[in-house]
Structures are given as C-alpha cells and as structure tokens.
C-alpha cells in the first residue's frame, strides 16, 4: 500500500469519526434541551409545624407523590422548626403553596397576597376551655380576672379561638403560655391556673390520670379550617392543575389512602371569603409574632427566576 493511499484512508476514517462525534453531540444536546423543556416545575409546599418535621413529611409525602404523577409539577415538602419561623417564611413569600391555620391565612392574604386554593370539606375547627373537675367555675363569666393557660400565642384552636371568644364577651382574663397542650392540662389539674385552652383531640389522647381531674367547661363555635393557599407568583395554569389534582385525590385508592393517613377525608375548592368568620373575630393584636410578620413584605419572584 502506497503512502498516498494510506493517507487517503486515514483522512477518510478521521472524517467519518468526526462526523459521528458531531452527530452524537448534537443528539445529546437536543435530548438535554428536550428534557429541560419537559421537566416538571418544582413547587415548594410549606406545612405549618403542628408536629415534628419528620412526622409531617411522612404524612404529607404520599399525598404529594399521588398528586405529582403525570403532572407538570413536583411538590417539595417544607416546614419550619416552629410557628414563628413558619410565619416569617410566609411573610417573605418563601412557599409557593402552603398549608396554614385560619389566622395565618387572613394575615398573609392581606400582607403577601396568598390566595385560597382548597380546604378540608365538611370540616370545622373548634377549641375548648377546661377547668378542674372540682372547680366552682361553671360559666365563662366566672373566668373574669382569672389566669388561663394556653399552649402558644398562635395556636389557633387552643389559644386564639378561646381568647377571641372571651374578648367578644368582654371577659378579661390573664394569660400564661406553657408551651404545649399537655402542659395546659397539667397546669389546670395541678391548680396552677384556673382554666386552660385546648382541643378535643389532644384532650382525649392525654393521660387519663390527668384528664379525669378535668372537665370541659366550654367549646368554641366552629370556624373555617386550615387553608391551602398559593403565592401570586405561581402561574395560573400550574395552580389550576394543582387544584384539580387535590380535588381528584379521592378518585383513586392511592389518593384516598394518602388522605386517610393524613387524617383528611377530602378537599373542596376554597375562596378568600370562606375565612370571613375568622376575620369577624377581630384578631389584629392577638399574636405578636404574627403582627411582626404582617408588617414585613413578601418578596415576589417570577417562576422563571427560580
């Protein structure tokens, strides 16, 4: 074989390899572009920290998994170490979608622009006031000037509702925050306070040796429950899809099972006016952390910038 022929063959082989590499590179580039354009948008879903973060993640993740199937979005679970931190993040608009208590919704709808998406269907939220079984107190009026224990300022059913209703009835009391529902019941049982706020669920699950020393003096009226609301930066098309997925959860066995583990039956479409019953309580000055958060403006970002 002559040097000239060998050179021509090498040149041809090099050319073919070069073309193949170029075609493969273009194919990979086109595939990456396609994947990028079809990739679901990740939405951060914040959940009010009623329980430990690990517990909340375990309960909500199955719901997110069902909703994200064959969807143009993926939901990323998020929460906070405590309620004040959650409130600050709402005030800064950190969550694309959030599950928040009724008071949170009324505050952060006005200050940040969160809009109602869905709420639990057929659900009302209530608080209770408990006293010692042998307490002479038989009516709310007899709580005048007494010390009442509550879990925390922003505990809606166990603190905000009892306090707001006492305020509406012009009954002045002294407030002591003790950190948890269980601590409220203990403080009342031990006679450290005259009464305390809680909810039926925690009262029923409390140690019977404690609750047998107590009685429920009063149950608050029912109010619109927690809201699932979205930040105004989220595109309307995505929100409509999220809402539809939530409303359709009960149409599959997986969805029903996920909701049941969460303790929900089903969702229904919600609107801002659904929480007018909470607004009528006049809660503007009830929780200092919320008031501080209310004054902060949430930072809006376009979805393209995220």
């Amino acid at each position: 074989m002559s040097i000239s022929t060998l050179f021509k063959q090498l040149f041809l082989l090099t050319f073919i390899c070069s073309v193949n590499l170029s075609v493969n590179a273009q194919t990979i580039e086109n595939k990456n572009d396609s994947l990028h354009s079809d990739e679901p948008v990740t939405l951060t879903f914040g959940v009010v920290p009623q329980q430990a973060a690990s517990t909340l993640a375990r309960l909500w993740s199955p719901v997110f998994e069902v909703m994200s199937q064959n969807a143009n979005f993926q939901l990323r679970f998020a929460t906070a170490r405590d309620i004040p931190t959650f409130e600050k993040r709402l005030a800064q608009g950190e969550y694309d979608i959030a599950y928040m208590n009724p008071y949170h919704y009324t505050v952060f709808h006005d200050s940040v622009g969160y809009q109602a998406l869905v709420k639990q269907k057929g659900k009302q939220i209530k608080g209770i006031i408990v006293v010692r079984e042998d307490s002479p107190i038989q009516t709310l009026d007899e709580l005048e000037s007494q010390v009442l224990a509550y879990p925390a300022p922003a505990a809606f059913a166990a603190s905000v509702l009892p306090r707001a209703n006492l305020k509406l009835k012009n009954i002045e009391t002294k407030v002591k925050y003790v950190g948890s529902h269980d601590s409220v019941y203990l403080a009342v049982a031990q006679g450290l306070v005259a009464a305390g706020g809680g909810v039926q669920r925690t009262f029923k699950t409390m140690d019977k040796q404690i609750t047998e020393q107590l009685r429920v003096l009063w149950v608050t009226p029912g109010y619109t429950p927690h809201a699932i609301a979205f930040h105004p930066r989220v595109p309307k098309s995505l929100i409509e899809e999220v809402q539809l997925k939530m409303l359709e959860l009960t149409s599959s066995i997986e969805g029903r099972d996920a909701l049941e583990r969460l303790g929900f039956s089903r969702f229904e479409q919600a609107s801002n006016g659904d929480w007018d019953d909470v607004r009528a309580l006049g809660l503007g000055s009830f929780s200092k952390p919320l008031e501080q958060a209310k004054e902060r403006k949430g930072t809006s970002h376009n979805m393209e910038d995220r």
Side-chain angles (χ1 to χ4, degrees):
M1 181 181 295
S2 67
I3 294 176
S4 175
T5 301
L6 179 61
F7 177 81
K8 290 179 180 179
Q9 289 179 344
L10 288 173
F11 176 82
L12 179 61
L13 180 62
T14 301
F15 176 79
I16 292 172
C17 290
S18 175
V19 170
N20 284 338
L21 287 172
S22 177
V23 170
N24 288 338
Q26 185 64 42
T27 300
I28 292 171
E29 183 178 350
N30 290 340
K31 183 177 181 181
N32 286 337
D33 287 343
S34 176
L35 287 173
H36 179 72
S37 63
D38 294 337
E39 185 177 351
V41 176
T42 298
L43 299 174
T44 301
F45 194 116
V47 178
V48 60
Q50 296 172 307
Q51 298 169 280
S54 58
T55 300
L56 292 174
R58 175 173 54 81
L59 293 173
W60 282 91
S61 292
V63 174
F64 294 168
E65 289 174 9
V66 174
M67 289 179 56
S68 298
Q69 292 175 6
N70 302 315
N72 293 311
F73 63 85
Q74 295 289 312
L75 298 177
R76 182 175 69 84
F77 171 83
T79 187
R81 66 176 182 270
D82 52 35
I83 288 177
T85 303
F86 180 74
E87 293 162 357
K88 290 177 182 178
R89 291 176 181 174
L90 283 174
Q92 294 167 345
E94 289 191 18
Y95 304 122
D96 297 315
I97 304 173
Y99 174 69
M100 61 187 79
N101 79 35
Y103 186 17
H104 286 156
Y105 177 72
T106 63
V107 171
F108 296 111
H109 167 76
D110 292 344
S111 63
V112 181
Y114 278 98
Q115 299 290 330
L117 187 63
V118 298
K119 60 183 176 66
Q120 287 188 68
K121 185 173 183 177
K123 169 77 173 180
Q124 284 197 316
I125 192 167
K126 298 179 181 180
I128 60 175
I129 292 178
V130 300
V131 295
R132 275 186 58 89
E133 178 64 39
D134 58 4
S135 172
I137 296 174
Q138 299 295 327
T139 67
L140 288 180
D141 290 337
E142 295 172 80
L143 293 175
E144 180 73 33
S145 300
Q146 298 289 340
V147 179
L148 272 68
Y150 299 103
F156 183 73
S159 175
V160 174
L161 284 184
R163 291 167 55 215
N165 278 276
L166 290 173
K167 181 180 178 182
L168 289 174
K169 296 176 184 295
N170 295 315
I171 299 172
E172 297 291 335
T173 62
K174 300 172 185 177
V175 174
K176 182 177 181 64
Y177 295 113
V178 294
S180 70
H181 290 214
D182 288 356
S183 295
V184 168
Y185 305 139
L186 280 169
V188 178
Q190 293 171 0
L192 301 177
V193 293
V199 297
Q200 289 284 6
R201 179 179 58 82
T202 58
F203 187 71
K204 290 177 180 178
T205 58
M206 180 64 177
D207 188 336
K208 296 298 182 184
Q209 292 184 343
I210 302 300
T211 56
E212 285 176 354
Q213 302 177 53
L214 307 174
R215 60 181 164 86
V216 176
L217 175 68
W218 186 69
V219 180
T220 74
Y223 291 87
T224 305
H226 286 49
I228 292 180
F230 64 93
H231 194 281
R233 68 168 165 265
V234 185
K236 181 180 179 182
S237 59
L238 278 178
I239 286 304
E240 289 176 344
E241 185 178 5
V242 171
Q243 185 182 61
L244 182 61
K245 289 281 189 177
M246 285 191 157
L247 297 177
E248 291 181 341
L249 277 168
T250 54
S251 64
S252 70
I253 295 176
E254 287 179 316
R256 290 194 295 271
D257 288 346
L259 283 175
E260 185 177 350
R261 286 195 292 273
L262 190 58
F264 293 176
S265 57
R266 64 176 58 201
F267 291 116
E268 64 180 354
Q269 187 171 343
S271 63
N272 181 53
D274 291 337
W275 283 269
D276 284 347
D277 58 341
V278 177
R279 295 183 177 95
L281 290 170
L283 305 177
S285 62
F286 262 59
S287 176
K288 194 170 184 179
L290 277 176
E291 280 303 296
Q292 291 173 343
K294 185 177 179 181
E295 295 172 0
R296 301 175 65 177
K297 298 296 183 182
T299 302
S300 296
H301 302 283
N302 292 327
M303 292 300 294
E304 291 78 11
D305 297 332
R306 290 172 60 77

